[in-house]
Amino acid sequence: MKRDFLAITDFTTEEIQEVFSLAGRLKENPSKGSGVLKSTTVACIFHKPSLRTRISFETGIHQLGGNSLYVTEKEIQLGVRESIYDAAKVLSRYVGMIVIRTFEQRDVDQLGKHAEVPVINGLTDLLHPCQVMGDMFTVLEKKGRLQDMRIAYLGDGNNVCNSWLNACTRFPLDLRIGTAQGTEPNPEILERARRTGLSKIEICYEPEAAIADADVVYTDVWASMGQKDLAQERAKLLSSFQVNSKLLSKATPDCIVMHCLPANRGEEITDEVMDGPHSAVFDQAENRLHVQKAIMMTLFGRSNT
Ligand code: CP
Ligand code: NVA
C-alpha cells in the first residue's frame, strides 16, 4: 500500500530513526540512492513561495534519478478548476510522487487520501513536517541526542511549532513554548501531544522562563505566509520573545539557535544571534535536503539503501 508523509505522526519512532540514519548516510555520500527515483516524475505543487523546500526537494529528486515538475496555483488550481479527488486520480496516472505546499491541511489530507502515489506535505498553515524532521536531525547531529532535550520555541505558535508538538509524540522532548496570549499553538495538536505523555510540554508567557537553561532555542517569523496583514499586531504581542543576545544568555552556554528561515532579521531574531557562534541555521537548511531524500526513499520502500 502506498504511504504518505503529511504529518510527523505518519511515521513511527522507529521509522523516523531509520530516516535519520539514512539521511546521515546520504549526507556522507550524496550519490547514494541515485537510481531510486529512476524514470519517476515528481509533481511539486506550490501555492506559496519557497526557497528551501522547493530547491531542496527538486535537487534531491534529481540526485535520486527522478524528474521534478514545478507547478504553481496558476495551473492546477486544486479544488477550484476541478475537485481534489479528480486531480489526485489524474496526477496519479502521470507522476510517481507529489510534494505539495498549500494553505489548508485538509486539502493535503484529501490529496493523500485519493492519490494512488505517495504525497508529501511541503507546508500547510497547520504543519511543516519536513522542516521539523530536518530540525530533529540537526539537533541529533549537533547535540548527539533528542532524549530530554530542552527545546525553547519562542514566538508564534504556528505550523513549525505544531510540528514540534507532533515530534513530542515520537521522542521524549522537553518542549517549552514561549508565546503570547492569542498566539498559542493549535489546541488539538497540543492536547494530543500532552495526552501521549511521552514529552514534557509547557506553554510559557514569560520569555525568560521559556528560554531558561534551554539546549535548543528555536524561533520563526511572527506572521507566516498568508498572514502578513497580522504582522504589526504580532510584532506588538511577540516583541519580548525576540531572540537577542540578552535573552540568549539565559539559555545553556552551549545551546544551539535554530530558525527554519526565511528570517525577518531584527524582528524575531537579531543579526548578532543569527550570525553568532550558537547559530545552526544554515546547517539546518542544508539538512532539509538529506532528510527529504531519506523521506522519499522511505516512501518508496528503499530506506535500507
Ligand atoms: N524553511 C522553509 O520551508 O523555507 P521555504 O519557505 O523557503 O521553503
Ligand atoms: N511559519 C512559516 C514557515 C516558513 C518556512 C510560514 O508558514 O510562513
Side-chain angles (χ1 to χ4, degrees):
M1 209 180 86
K2 71 106 181 185
R3 303 265 321 263
D4 298 317
F5 185 67
L6 309 182
I8 285 178
T9 47
D10 284 344
F11 282 180
T12 63
T13 305
E14 292 67 34
E15 284 172 329
I16 297 172
Q17 279 163 336
E18 274 176 30
V19 166
F20 294 154
S21 148
L22 175 56
R25 300 197 296 280
L26 290 164
K27 187 166 183 172
E28 257 172 41
N29 179 6
S31 61
K32 208 175 180 55
S34 57
V36 169
L37 294 183
K38 190 167 178 273
S39 307
T40 302
T41 296
V42 182
C44 298
I45 305 173
F46 279 72
H47 293 168
K48 291 177 176 176
S50 172
L51 189 166
R52 281 142 290 271
T53 307
R54 176 184 173 187
I55 309 295
S56 58
F57 262 111
E58 292 208 51
T59 302
I61 291 161
H62 290 283
Q63 287 179 359
L64 295 176
N67 308 300
S68 62
L69 270 184
Y70 175 62
V71 188
T72 68
E73 77 280 10
K74 288 194 190 75
E75 287 87 30
I76 295 190
Q77 298 175 33
L78 207 64
V80 177
R81 191 162 176 261
E82 60 192 310
S83 69
I84 294 178
Y85 177 92
D86 291 352
K89 294 294 171 200
V90 174
L91 279 167
S92 305
R93 301 287 175 108
Y94 302 138
V95 304
M97 185 155 54
I98 301 168
V99 176
I100 178 159
R101 164 170 289 197
T102 191
F103 295 84
E104 300 289 339
Q105 179 70 24
R106 67 168 173 266
D107 290 351
V108 172
D109 292 340
Q110 284 288 308
L111 191 65
K113 183 171 171 203
H114 300 302
E116 283 141 37
V117 297
V119 177
I120 298 178
N121 181 355
L123 179 146
T124 61
D125 291 348
L126 190 69
L127 297 175
H128 197 0
C130 294
Q131 178 67 52
V132 174
M133 289 287 282
D135 296 343
M136 286 193 284
F137 177 80
T138 307
V139 172
L140 271 174
E141 201 176 43
K142 302 273 177 201
K143 307 294 278 179
R145 67 184 167 89
L146 283 169
Q147 175 109 15
D148 300 324
M149 191 56 60
R150 182 168 282 188
I151 300 166
Y153 179 98
L154 301 183
D156 183 31
N158 61 17
N159 42 12
V160 173
C161 183
N162 290 332
S163 287
W164 271 107
L165 284 169
N166 277 342
C168 286
T169 71
R170 294 296 180 265
F171 295 96
L173 306 175
D174 179 353
L175 179 65
R176 282 205 207 136
I177 299 169
T179 194
Q181 307 261 5
T183 54
E184 296 95 342
N186 177 279
E188 282 114 58
I189 295 177
L190 174 64
E191 179 48 32
R192 195 177 53 207
R194 281 191 164 141
R195 240 192 350 258
T196 314
L198 186 63
S199 295
K200 213 172 139 198
I201 300 168
E202 273 180 63
I203 305 283
C204 291
Y205 296 104
E206 265 297 309
E208 295 201 354
I211 204 172
D213 300 322
D215 302 303
V216 177
V217 176
Y218 200 116
T219 190
D220 185 13
V221 290
W222 292 331
S224 286
M225 289 180 274
Q227 307 184 321
K228 295 300 174 192
D229 52 322
L230 297 177
Q232 273 192 327
E233 179 192 322
R234 290 286 175 79
K236 271 193 218 137
L237 278 175
L238 294 170
S239 62
S240 63
F241 294 92
Q242 182 192 63
V243 180
N244 53 40
S245 299
K246 184 162 178 269
L247 192 58
L248 194 62
S249 69
K250 311 286 177 199
T252 56
D254 61 349
C255 71
I256 58 167
V257 174
M258 303 182 82
H259 190 311
C260 59
L261 306 181
N264 283 327
R265 286 169 175 258
E267 292 187 21
E268 74 278 0
I269 190 165
T270 57
D271 285 336
E272 59 191 349
V273 172
M274 185 130 151
D275 302 323
H278 297 279
S279 177
V281 301
F282 298 117
D283 291 327
Q284 192 187 344
E286 178 192 330
N287 285 336
R288 296 285 305 278
L289 170 66
H290 312 301
V291 169
Q292 287 161 191
K293 281 171 75 181
I295 292 171
M296 291 189 280
M297 288 171 72
T298 301
L299 294 176
F300 268 64
R302 298 288 298 276
S303 58
N304 287 330
T305 304

